[in-house]
Amino acid sequence: MSSGIHKLDYKTPIGVLEITGTEEAICSIMFEEREEIENLMQDDTPKVLALCWKQLDEYFKGERSEFTFPYTFEGTVFQQSVWNALKEIPYAETGSYKDIAVSIGNEKAIRAVGSANGRNRLTIVIPCHRIIGSNGTLTGYAGGLWRKEWLLNHERTFNKK
């Protein structure tokens, strides 16, 4: 692999996740609408991508509820505040757009929170799948509502509390 951006695929029970990053940090983890693995682990795969792959594997096996590999996200100050607030939703629990808006001190920004949530490029790690409607129903998820439902059920199954 050359320097710059590297890619590595992880095959989950609900589809392929494409991990993208540099030598220093992960910048994207997104579901791809394809069945095949295109980006395999190589001898020169950056350590941070291999660590991310390993931690995702542990998550899907029910052995990990938090991630410790380095990652970065680019967005507006508002988007970053939303993404940081999403990280505060505990494993196997849920919150709403309103909860996030209140937690960042802008309770009227519910729609903007939803928009920022939809721009999250670090699926699972920044747990936007834990956001549900105020009435308890599943709301939009870039990976599809069926994946969101699967992830929530997965976390409830392995919740060690």
Side-chain angles (χ1 to χ4, degrees):
M1 288 184 177
S2 61
S3 61
I5 299 296
H6 305 273
K7 293 182 179 183
L8 180 61
D9 289 345
Y10 176 75
K11 185 148 182 137
T12 78
I14 53 175
V16 174
L17 279 174
E18 185 179 79
I19 304 163
T20 306
T22 64
E23 298 281 338
E24 293 80 35
I26 301 301
C27 50
S28 174
I29 303 168
M30 299 294 290
F31 281 105
E32 294 294 315
E33 296 305 323
R34 56 183 162 85
E35 296 293 319
E36 68 284 346
I37 300 292
E38 295 176 358
N39 304 294
L40 298 170
M41 187 89 67
Q42 305 288 329
D43 289 341
D44 60 348
T45 297
K47 286 184 174 75
V48 68
L49 271 78
L51 181 60
C52 175
W53 191 100
K54 179 180 182 284
Q55 290 187 13
L56 285 169
D57 190 53
E58 292 167 349
Y59 170 86
F60 279 99
K61 289 177 177 173
E63 300 167 355
R64 174 175 291 277
S65 60
E66 295 180 12
F67 299 93
T68 59
F69 58 82
Y71 58 83
T72 183
F73 44 72
E74 291 184 22
T76 65
V77 170
F78 178 81
Q79 288 169 335
Q80 290 187 30
S81 70
V82 168
W83 299 332
N84 282 318
L86 287 171
K87 293 188 305 185
E88 300 304 313
I89 301 173
Y91 181 82
E93 295 185 23
T94 56
S96 68
Y97 294 136
K98 183 176 182 178
D99 294 335
I100 298 297
V102 168
S103 77
I104 63 170
N106 195 345
E107 72 178 84
K108 295 189 185 295
I110 296 169
R111 286 183 184 218
V113 165
S115 178
N117 197 44
R119 287 184 169 78
N120 172 27
R121 305 271 313 149
L122 292 164
T123 297
I124 300 171
V125 176
I126 306 294
C128 55
H129 63 279
R130 296 182 189 148
I131 294 295
I132 60 172
S134 295
N135 62 0
T137 60
L138 294 185
T139 56
Y141 182 64
L145 287 181
W146 68 276
R147 283 190 178 116
K148 180 179 203 157
E149 183 176 22
W150 190 98
L151 291 166
L152 291 171
N153 288 334
H154 171 75
E155 290 184 2
R156 290 178 187 128
T157 299
F158 290 103
N159 190 13
K160 297 184 176 36
K161 287 185 182 177

